[in-house]
Amino acid sequence: MVTMSTAPKIWTRESGLVEKRDVWAAMKRGFRGRCPRCGEGKLFRAFLKTADNCARCGLDFTPHRADDLPAYLVIVIVGHIVVPAILWIETNYTTPVWLSFVAYLPFTFVASLALLQPVKGAVVGLQWALRMHGFDENPPDGIPPV
């Protein structure tokens, strides 16, 4: 059983001074596949595998926990593009079923693959900017690491 520290935490001016992190800049850098802190190092070492750390600034990427959020966001984004387009085409034009499958399925597949890595990078950038999971230099006491 893990016990929590009951000692009161004393806040000082120095403990409140932390690096300001711009959320939109970090997400934009992550979307481009770059380090959310410096914007120069590569975020990914493979298609969806993040690098262990940034080659330029040394930021550790291992604590990120993107999990399934990028996939859900890609489904929402691509769905909001494809479904209205399909509804508009099918209500205004009469297309054969085979033509519909030949057109819609490859577009949906390619759009999903094209957005998956950038969206994951933006999620990792968001986590870094908001100091989520292990991206905080001073984690609170009593919370075990993931």
Side-chain angles (χ1 to χ4, degrees), residues 33-141:
R34 298 292 174 200
C35 171
R37 180 164 57 188
C38 69
E40 295 180 18
K42 288 187 176 184
L43 181 60
F44 296 99
R45 63 180 160 94
F47 181 61
L48 290 177
K49 295 282 187 186
T50 57
D52 292 333
N53 53 21
C54 177
R56 298 286 179 148
C57 68
L59 177 65
D60 184 21
F61 298 134
T62 56
H64 89 84
R65 301 281 300 186
D67 297 332
D68 292 334
L69 180 61
Y72 291 129
L73 293 176
V74 166
I75 289 169
V76 169
I77 293 167
V78 172
H80 278 81
I81 295 170
V82 170
V83 171
I86 290 173
L87 289 173
W88 182 77
I89 291 170
E90 293 298 324
T91 55
N92 293 325
Y93 304 101
T94 306
T95 58
V97 174
W98 68 269
L99 183 61
S100 299
F101 282 126
V102 169
Y104 305 143
L105 292 179
F107 176 77
T108 305
F109 180 72
V110 170
S112 298
L113 283 180
L115 279 176
L116 198 53
Q117 187 183 38
V119 169
K120 182 172 181 174
V123 168
V124 172
L126 176 71
Q127 290 177 351
W128 175 80
L130 297 179
R131 292 177 164 73
M132 296 171 71
H133 307 294
F135 285 121
D136 190 8
E137 292 84 17
N138 303 314
D141 296 331

